[in-house]
Amino acid sequence: MTATLEAIGLGKRYGRRRWALRDLDLAVEEGSITALVGPNGSGKSTLLKSWVGFERPTTGRLRIHDVDPVRNRAAAIALTGYVPQAPSLYRELSVDDHLAFAAVHRPGFDRGLARRYLDDLRIPLDSRADELSGGQQAQVGLALALGTRAPVLLLDEPLASIDPLARREFLHVLVDAVRATGSTALLSSHVITDIEQACDSLIVLGGGRSLLAVSIQAAIDGHRVVEADAEANGGVVGSFPSATGEHLMLVRPVPEGAESSAAGRAAAGRAAAGRAATLEEVVIGHLAASRPPRPDRAVGAVAA
């Protein structure tokens, strides 16, 4: 595997106490479209901005195509097409004005390529930014990023507030562009259907740490779901309610040879009795495992 994006022992602290990222080790494979998933405050935006040099790590190191964005921010930016959650467009400028602006300020910007993407998406070039819908603004942001012909695309929840059709069109353009150019994309998103449509790998962050970093297929194949008591352990990743209220647990298959222990036998039995996990259940199970434990009710009652 050739890693396009790397984080080695990465930590980012704001103020004197709050760590947005802590002891993070990650590698994103070249040519992949990787989903970055986690709750609000898990460090997703901080991580993406760090790779572009917009955030300076407190500890650890970063690499983007072997470039250190702390030491050479200009080179890191040149390697990156960045799409933020809120489209950063100038209200008074037309779409074509934005392409002209990018051509002046971003060396190598391919204005014709960006126009072709916008034509495919039926975005009028003469429309002002403030006349566009939220979905159209996100699509303009993607076209600008793709027009850079950057080998790395970092997308910080650009689909959070746009309608299903616009999301599907956005992802279709993204996937086609990555497959055609061999670039690498890291997409931050909460929407599992978007991830299943576009991504081949998955990173789950929680509490500033990596909870899971595997291919989508390995994430599904490597987990099962069972209905069980919340006190069960051994092979259990995390427990969570189903959409209809049943108590479920996400479990991993037991490594070969581990069945010799009592916990291993119990975990193997649960995995055999369970069913295949969906991608959504894999993500939710790992996020549930990252939450801090509930405080002891008895202690709380005494304190009260």
Side-chain angles (χ1 to χ4, degrees), residues 28-101:
V28 177
E29 185 175 357
E30 185 175 11
S32 66
I33 304 178
T34 299
L36 182 62
V37 183
N40 293 334
S42 61
K44 302 187 302 297
S45 292
T46 298
L47 177 60
L48 293 175
K49 291 176 181 177
S50 296
W51 267 314
V52 193
F54 295 163
E55 295 280 2
R56 189 181 184 90
T58 305
T59 61
R61 295 177 292 126
L62 290 158
R63 290 286 185 275
I64 174 168
H65 272 291
D66 291 325
V67 170
D68 184 335
V70 174
R71 296 183 177 182
N72 196 342
R73 181 179 174 186
I77 291 174
L79 290 166
T80 308
Y82 178 71
V83 183
Q85 180 174 354
S88 53
L89 303 179
Y90 296 96
R91 294 172 54 86
E92 298 82 6
L93 296 185
S94 70
V95 173
D96 207 33
D97 289 337
H98 281 86
L99 303 186
F101 184 87

Side-chain angles (χ1 to χ4, degrees), residues 48 80-88 137-146 153-159 170 174 186:
L48 293 175
T80 308
Y82 178 71
V83 183
Q85 180 174 354
S88 53
Q137 290 184 34
Q139 289 163 337
V140 171
L142 177 62
L144 289 168
L146 295 175
L153 299 169
L154 300 177
L155 305 104
D156 190 3
E157 294 194 57
L159 309 175
F170 183 107
L174 173 65
L186 185 57

Side-chain angles (χ1 to χ4, degrees), residues 21 24-28 34-39 42-44 47 186-190 192 195 201-216 219-220 223 237 250 252 278-291:
L21 298 169
L24 183 64
D25 293 303
L26 281 177
V28 177
T34 299
L36 182 62
V37 183
S42 61
K44 302 187 302 297
L47 177 60
L186 185 57
L187 171 67
S188 175
S189 177
H190 288 295
I192 302 301
I195 294 169
S201 297
L202 171 70
I203 295 171
V204 182
L205 291 186
R209 291 180 167 87
S210 173
L211 307 177
L212 185 68
V214 294
S215 71
I216 297 290
I220 295 170
H223 298 84
V237 175
L250 183 73
R252 295 179 190 257
T278 66
L279 183 61
E280 182 175 38
E281 288 168 336
V282 171
V283 171
I284 291 174
H286 279 275
L287 293 180
S290 72
R291 293 181 304 187

Side-chain angles (χ1 to χ4, degrees), residues 231 291-304:
E231 299 301 319
R291 293 181 304 187
R294 290 183 179 180
D296 190 336
R297 292 183 180 179
V299 173
V302 171

